[in-house]
Amino acid sequence: MKTKKKFSPAEIQALKKADQDHYFHPTSSIWVLQEKGAKIIAKGKGCKVWDVEGKEYYDATAALWYSSVGHCRPELTQTAVDQLEQLESYHSFNEFANVPAIQLAEKVSKMVPVKDARIFFTNSGSESNDTIFKMVRFYWFLKNKDSKDYIITRNRAYHGVSCGAVCATRLPGFHEGFEPRLPGFAHIELPYCYQCPWGKKVESCNLECALALEEKITELGKDKVAAFIAEPIVGTGGIIIPPPGYFEKIRQICTDNEVLFIADEVINAFGRTGKMFGIEHWEGVVPDLMTMAKGITSGYVQLGAVALSGEIFDTLKQREKFLHGFTYSGHPLACAVGLRNLEIIEDEDLPGNSEKMGRLLKEKILALNLDVIGDVRGKGLMVGVELVKNKETKEKHDPLLAPSVVDAAYEMGLITRPLIGDILQFSPPMVITESQIDDIVKLLEAAIAKALKDRE
Ligand code: PMP
């Protein structure tokens, strides 16, 4: 059946049945799908989407954090059509290239805060992280330090689900039943200031969270550690912002111990946090490598990227080939759309709007002054609302409250998501306006009231 604008009740029923009979959804509840059927989204525009029934929703998550410039922008449709007419696809293996891939590599290399950056393209965040893990190990191998193979990651990290990337992911449920994992991964605690794992307050903080990296490197032996990877601002793990000074200290520890520092900017990058890159909130901190995806094309076409420093590239050059690449690395359609998407982000100062609207969003949610809202935090349009039973003690709420709020919100026309630890995700498209923020906050208030009533 061709996708069309209106669906009859019989067609909708048939679609739901076909979904239940044939479609295996990624990261979804198989049981809920069997019981209730899928939420089928059929149309999008700006900050809104519509389901097959024609019901309208605010997309307060920007799909999976990626719809930066908003849904269905004609400029991007036109760019895609132009590129498909010119050259639908050609690979980049065996010394081939295509025009958009070269142009996007040049553009991204000039934007990223990585020294003399080179850009390698992938199709996703997981592929970018897999690529980077191989890159850093190959780098140390070529430097005759091949014992340096450990990647240190942090609790509550999400770096993807492919066999390599999932080893760096540290969220419940992602490992059980999938063992054995790859060797060479270790982890440390992360800076979660709302409930500091070291029991510290701002006044007594000595950046124990950053020093934990030094302790781990000492424990493993610095001749064993290849790299440290972190999301500058944690997404799926619950919108967690390290304290000032954290990444400066991390950078120093990495430099002192010859450990490469990787910033996973798959969610952060291209303006979502109010700056073009998340790591830029820690002034002067320069990662050795960076991974990107999502906002690079606003999700119009799937694309991931890795930025590596000139020094790392120069080391890799000692070997004729880095035998790694994907059939669709540097796909011209994705790169052409990515290029135009980044131009829109710059021309419309979407990082600036993200900063401004994110601040308003946090202020307005806090002003609801609800007992169940323990913390509202974020940078730019990466905002998390942590639900608690008791604001003073920060006692956890009944774990079903967050999913109930999400369900109630969906009924009312608002899409949000429960993140790990009773936290609601708010990351609308970066083109959002103040009146749309007001609508979202009103819907959130009503959804919380309904969920609390339903759970009485
Ligand atoms: N890194 C981070 C920080 C992410 O949030 C994600 C996905 N949400 C990934 C990597 C993996 O990206 P993908 O789903 O495109 O493989």
Side-chain angles (χ1 to χ4, degrees):
M1 194 192 337
K2 247 186 109 187
T3 307
K4 55 181 187 173
K5 298 244 156 76
K6 278 212 173 353
F7 297 85
S8 69
E11 284 174 319
I12 294 167
Q13 220 180 341
L15 271 171
K16 294 208 166 176
K17 172 97 176 67
D19 176 88
Q20 286 175 324
D21 291 349
H22 304 289
Y23 191 15
F24 192 174
H25 289 235
T27 314
S28 295
S29 164
I30 300 172
W31 298 347
V32 170
L33 284 167
Q34 286 307 318
E35 199 187 308
K36 296 194 188 161
K39 302 172 217 151
I40 308 172
I41 301 300
K43 190 179 129 180
K45 190 78 196 160
C47 296
K48 292 184 176 170
V49 291
W50 287 260
D51 67 16
V52 268
E53 274 106 352
K55 190 174 159 201
E56 181 177 299
Y57 301 85
Y58 269 112
D59 182 8
T61 58
L64 286 177
W65 316 91
Y66 58 69
S67 182
S68 300
V69 300
H71 296 283
C72 282
R73 295 194 53 148
E75 309 95 302
L76 293 182
T77 308
Q78 195 53 53
T79 303
V81 170
D82 291 348
Q83 184 57 46
L84 287 172
E85 283 176 357
Q86 180 70 31
L87 175 69
E88 89 297 351
S89 188
Y90 213 80
H91 70 88
S92 290
F93 282 31
N94 309 110
E95 304 80 64
F96 282 96
N98 64 74
V99 177
I102 298 169
Q103 290 173 332
L104 185 62
E106 183 179 17
K107 171 117 191 121
V108 174
S109 70
K110 289 181 178 161
M111 290 174 85
V112 288
V114 170
K115 201 160 177 279
D116 305 323
R118 284 264 164 178
I119 308 299
F120 187 100
F121 289 117
T122 70
N123 305 287
S124 68
S126 300
E127 283 184 7
S128 296
N129 284 326
D130 276 3
T131 298
I132 227 160
F133 297 156
K134 287 174 75 176
M135 242 174 219
V136 297
R137 286 175 175 168
F138 200 55
Y139 169 85
W140 290 117
F141 166 77
L142 292 174
K143 289 207 160 232
N144 290 322
K145 294 187 178 175
D146 61 352
S147 65
K148 280 172 89 66
D149 57 12
Y150 262 99
I151 315 283
I152 302 180
T153 166
R154 302 182 301 175
N155 279 339
R156 290 175 85 140
Y158 189 87
H159 296 297
V161 293
S162 52
C163 286
V166 80
C167 301
T169 290
R170 297 280 311 169
L171 286 173
F174 282 89
H175 298 148
E176 193 194 7
F178 299 117
E179 304 285 356
R181 272 172 271 167
L182 302 180
F185 286 85
H187 63 274
I188 57 172
E189 202 45 83
L190 96 169
Y192 179 31
C193 300
Y194 181 59
Q195 301 205 43
C196 173
W198 290 267
K200 294 294 180 101
K201 297 264 176 287
V202 179
E203 318 78 67
S204 59
C205 168
N206 291 314
L207 291 177
E208 284 79 359
C209 44
L211 295 173
L213 176 62
E214 196 158 52
E215 285 159 23
K216 184 56 80 177
I217 295 171
T218 308
E219 179 195 317
L220 294 167
K222 72 179 215 180
D223 56 329
K224 295 270 169 48
V225 183
F228 170 69
I229 182 165
E231 301 157 77
I233 296 168
V234 173
T236 311
I239 318 277
I240 292 165
I241 309 156
Y246 176 80
F247 278 114
E248 289 86 339
K249 188 89 196 150
I250 290 282
R251 176 66 272 184
Q252 191 57 50
I253 293 168
C254 287
T255 306
D256 292 350
N257 290 280
E258 284 195 300
V259 167
L260 297 171
F261 171 39
I262 307 167
D264 178 341
E265 295 256 358
V266 166
I267 292 177
N268 291 191
F270 304 108
R272 175 144 296 282
T273 69
K275 291 191 186 279
M276 196 56 89
F277 297 97
I279 197 65
E280 290 170 344
H281 290 282
W282 289 266
E283 225 187 300
V285 176
V286 176
D288 299 299
L289 306 108
M290 185 181 271
T291 48
M292 295 153 274
K294 300 190 190 266
I296 196 168
T297 62
S298 290
Y300 280 68
V301 186
Q302 54 276 56
L303 181 70
V306 163
L308 57 148
S309 71
E311 193 272 322
I312 296 175
F313 181 69
D314 286 343
T315 304
L316 300 188
K317 268 193 331 207
Q318 291 171 23
R319 268 294 161 95
E320 188 197 351
K321 278 187 187 162
F322 176 58
L323 264 184
H324 175 90
F326 304 98
T327 297
Y328 301 122
S329 287
H331 194 286
L333 174 63
C335 292
V337 170
L339 197 57
R340 186 74 191 94
N341 169 67
L342 296 184
E343 282 167 9
I344 294 174
I345 289 175
E346 286 179 332
D347 293 349
E348 298 182 5
D349 185 23
L350 295 186
N353 196 54
S354 203
E355 200 280 321
K356 211 159 111 204
M357 291 301 127
R359 202 157 14 87
L360 284 176
L361 178 61
K362 280 190 291 188
E363 280 167 17
K364 289 175 193 248
I365 297 175
L366 272 172
L368 295 176
N369 203 15
L370 298 179
D371 285 343
V372 286
I373 296 186
D375 194 24
V376 182
R377 56 176 180 264
K379 290 249 186 234
L381 285 169
M382 258 186 101
V383 172
V385 176
E386 182 151 354
L387 302 178
V388 290
K389 190 162 188 179
N390 183 320
K391 268 188 188 179
E392 301 308 314
T393 62
K394 302 179 181 173
E395 186 191 337
K396 291 243 161 257
H397 215 291
D398 145 21
L400 293 179
L401 180 64
S404 304
V405 173
V406 169
D407 289 347
Y410 190 73
E411 271 174 42
M412 293 171 183
L414 171 69
I415 300 177
T416 169
R417 248 185 4 140
L419 300 174
I420 206 82
D422 309 327
I423 297 156
L424 302 173
Q425 172 186 338
F426 288 89
S427 56
M430 284 151 54
V431 288
I432 197 153
T433 62
E434 182 165 359
S435 74
Q436 291 176 320
I437 294 273
D438 287 337
D439 290 347
I440 287 176
V441 175
K442 274 191 210 124
L443 287 165
L444 170 66
E445 185 179 26
I448 291 178
K450 178 165 189 311
L452 285 171
K453 195 149 180 286
D454 289 351
R455 303 205 58 72
E456 262 171 16

